[in-house]
Amino acid sequence: MENKHKTINIEEEEFRQYLKSTKGGDSDAQNNLGRCYSNGIGITKDEVKAFKWYLKSAEGGNLKGQFNIGNCNEHGIRTVKDEGKAFKWYLKSAKGGDSDAQFNIGRFYYNGIGITKDAEKH
């Protein structure tokens, strides 16, 4: 007997679950949806949509969303490269306790990226 059940793609199901969760305003799901679009997980890669979801997450106070928007601004990913904006988003995330953002804040101070170089703050 032939198996007529559709094979479930785990990545596509993951994407669908994140999308469903975003409807309730879940900022973690919004950030994860951005990650799916950014990396082509369960959906075609789309940096424009990734940026949109990262921003929505960041504006909702999500630390990883703030970090990801900082990264987009630092590297000019689907936005104009703006190291000053990157610093501000990294700082929000760092103040919330995100260790990756804290590292980047130190790196920005040490190298004078987007702000005045300050060897004492790195």
Side-chain angles (χ1 to χ4, degrees):
M1 182 173 225
E2 188 178 319
N3 185 354
K4 294 185 180 184
H5 296 288
K6 182 179 177 184
T7 304
I8 297 174
N9 181 314
I10 293 170
E11 289 182 348
E12 289 174 1
E13 183 58 28
E14 177 183 13
F15 176 83
R16 280 194 291 276
Q17 290 302 317
Y18 290 143
L19 185 59
K20 185 178 179 181
S21 294
T22 63
K23 293 178 182 169
D26 183 330
S27 66
D28 286 329
Q30 292 165 346
N31 182 63
N32 286 330
L33 198 59
R35 183 180 51 81
C36 287
Y37 276 115
S38 181
N39 297 304
I41 299 170
I43 193 77
T44 303
K45 184 175 179 172
D46 186 330
E47 289 179 338
V48 172
K49 288 182 180 175
F51 183 87
K52 173 190 146 195
W53 285 107
Y54 286 150
L55 184 59
K56 192 169 188 87
S57 174
E59 289 172 340
N62 186 280
L63 300 179
K64 282 298 177 193
Q66 292 167 348
F67 174 86
N68 287 325
I69 283 297
N71 186 61
C72 288
N73 279 285
E74 179 182 2
H75 300 287
I77 301 169
R78 286 298 165 203
T79 189
V80 175
K81 184 176 179 174
D82 186 330
E83 292 167 338
K85 277 187 183 177
F87 178 83
K88 288 176 185 175
W89 281 112
Y90 284 146
L91 187 59
K92 283 184 182 192
S93 183
K95 284 182 177 180
D98 185 90
S99 60
D100 292 327
Q102 291 166 349
F103 173 82
N104 281 346
I105 289 298
R107 183 172 57 83
F108 272 47
Y109 274 121
Y110 183 78
N111 295 304
I113 301 170
I115 53 153
T116 303
K117 188 174 181 173
D118 188 337
E120 290 184 19
K121 289 190 178 181
H122 75 275

